[in-house]
Amino acid sequence: MTISNPALLGFQIRHATLSDLDAICDLESACFPPGEAATRADFEGHLHQYPNHFWLLEKKGEIYSMVNGMVTDKSDLEDAMYHDATLYQEKGRWQMILGVVTHLCSLVRIAPR
């Protein structure tokens, strides 16, 4: 998807892939203390179970932000959803947002490896 807002020219939104895992973990650790950050295994599970619900904002190959979540029939977000990707239901009625992570305060860019 191309963004047409002049302030955001050149940014793209795309689905994350396993090849983005290092950059995703770097972005997460830049934004959260170790006790609150999702783990590499959590993100790997998310990317395996529901890759169509994990988006990145990037410009020239550098990741600035990410949004990830799962679809489920449960109407309320539960703590277990953050760590158990098998709770995902492809035809679920509810889109849960597990994280919106943006590290723009100093325009630090986390480049994919």
Side-chain angles (χ1 to χ4, degrees):
M1 171 188 309
T2 301
I3 301 169
S4 59
N5 181 324
L8 297 174
L9 282 178
F11 281 91
Q12 299 283 319
I13 297 172
R14 67 171 177 84
H15 287 114
T17 66
L18 281 173
S19 66
D20 298 308
L21 190 56
D22 287 336
I24 288 167
C25 292
D26 288 347
L27 179 58
E28 181 81 354
S29 67
C31 295
F32 292 99
E36 295 178 22
T39 67
R40 182 180 188 85
D42 291 335
F43 285 127
E44 193 167 9
H46 298 180
L47 289 167
H48 277 296
Q49 288 292 117
Y50 41 88
N52 291 332
H53 300 274
F54 201 129
W55 302 274
L56 301 177
L57 175 69
E58 72 174 2
K59 183 175 185 177
K60 297 181 181 177
E62 297 180 28
I63 297 172
Y64 288 81
S65 185
M66 63 183 175
V67 176
N68 75 97
M70 68 163 58
V71 179
T72 181
D73 278 331
K74 297 184 179 215
S75 61
D76 293 317
L77 182 64
E78 298 175 0
D79 287 342
M81 293 175 181
Y82 287 91
H83 307 290
D84 187 355
T86 64
L87 296 173
Y88 167 74
Q89 297 170 297
E90 178 65 35
K91 296 184 189 250
R93 295 177 42 209
W94 298 92
Q95 171 70 57
M96 296 294 160
I97 302 297
L98 302 178
V100 178
V101 180
T102 303
H103 195 254
L104 293 177
C105 58
S106 61
L107 290 179
V108 173
R109 296 173 198 109
I110 310 298
R113 294 181 187 155

